[in-house]
């Protein structure tokens, strides 16, 4: 690579910059780069691994200066990677830099991300046309690389010849896209409100059924308690009735035995009237 002309106070290589995101390294370097140095910086960022958004770099004053002048092609190519697709590159090649294989593959990955925002099941036929790939084997290899690079998350459906995308990388957005994005967000908010209202109605209905079930259960428990008390009272009444009847029947039997004994005693001994009465009292006791 050609050396970049930078101010002395600025870092002279990417290895000397330590930041959390790869793009931040280039943003720091762009602060002190001018002219050809900025142009060379753009070439580096276009093939740098892990860098898939470029909006912040495009906003840098030193990069904006390249929009007109001898390095306008570099600026347009950076815009292409931020907002465009591989098909845009093929249709307007003279306006952009000649891309090397690494840069071409990155632009193809970004194109897959763009297509994934339009539909979640992308047919192979669409991908073959948009990415200018001649056979399915190369296409599937490219998709697998995009999955491993976290450009998209999904799976290949080889039977139906399509890619089923679960999540896709978010790309840079132009200012003119803000209205469309706002409309999409508004539709999403409305859909969320509809879902929340439906959930609230289901919760209210469930609470109503719960309260009704609780009241029904309380009624049943009260009825069970009443039946238990009734059965207990009936059992006590029957027990008391059976107990009183036994005493009534046993008294005459006891008295008759005592009378018979007195008669036997009178006949056998010929005792006086007082002895008979005394014996009767003893027998009764």
């Amino acid at each position: 690579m050609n050396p970049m002309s930078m101010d002395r106070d600025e870092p002279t290589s990417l290895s000397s910059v330590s930041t959390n995101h790869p793009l931040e390294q280039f943003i720091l370097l762009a602060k002190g780069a001018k002219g050809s140095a900025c142009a060379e910086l753009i070439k580096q960022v276009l093939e740098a691994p892990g860098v898939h958004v470029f909006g912040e770099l495009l906003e840098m004053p030193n990069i904006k200066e390249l929009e007109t002048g001898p390095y306008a092609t570099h600026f347009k190519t950076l815009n292409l990677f931020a907002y465009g697709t591989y098909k845009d590159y093929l249709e307007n090649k003279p306006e952009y830099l000649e891309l090397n294989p690494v840069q071409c593959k990155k632009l193809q990955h970004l194109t897959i991300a763009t297509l994934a925002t339009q539909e979640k099941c992308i047919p192979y036929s669409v991908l073959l046309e948009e990415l200018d790939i001649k056979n399915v084997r190369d296409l599937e290899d490219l998709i697998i690389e995009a999955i491993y690079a976290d450009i998209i998350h999904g799976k290949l459906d080889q039977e139906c010849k399509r890619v089923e995308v679960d999540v896709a990388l978010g790309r840079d957005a132009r200012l003119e896209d803000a209205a469309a994005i706002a409309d999409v967000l508004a539709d999403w908010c409305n859909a969320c409100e509809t879902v929340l209202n439906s959930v609230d109605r289901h919760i209210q209905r469930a609470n109503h059924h719960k309260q009704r079930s609780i009241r029904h259960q309380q009624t049943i428990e009260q009825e069970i308690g009443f039946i238990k008390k009734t059965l207990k009272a009936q059992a006590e009444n029957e027990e008391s009735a059976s107990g009183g009847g036994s005493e009534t029947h046993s008294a005459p039997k006891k008295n008759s035995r005592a009378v018979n004994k007195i008669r036997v005693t009178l006949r056998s001994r010929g005792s006086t009237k007082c002895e008979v009465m005394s014996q009767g009292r003893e027998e009764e006791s």
Side-chain angles (χ1 to χ4, degrees), residues 52-53 82-85 108-123 126-127 130 150-153 163-174 177 180-181 184:
H52 301 108
V53 290
Y83 310 117
T85 64
Q108 288 174 325
H109 287 169
L110 294 173
T111 301
I112 295 174
T114 297
L115 294 173
T117 61
Q118 300 170 3
E119 52 184 327
K120 294 303 180 183
C121 294
I122 312 172
V126 174
L127 290 167
E130 292 289 332
D150 283 335
I151 303 298
I152 60 171
H153 288 177
V163 183
E164 297 178 0
V165 181
D166 298 325
V167 181
L169 173 76
R171 299 191 63 185
D172 294 295
R174 297 184 179 93
D177 297 332
I181 294 173
V184 172

Side-chain angles (χ1 to χ4, degrees), residues 184-197:
V184 172
L185 292 175
D187 292 340
W188 180 77
C189 290
N190 292 333
C192 290
E193 287 292 335
T194 303
V195 172
L196 288 174
N197 291 334

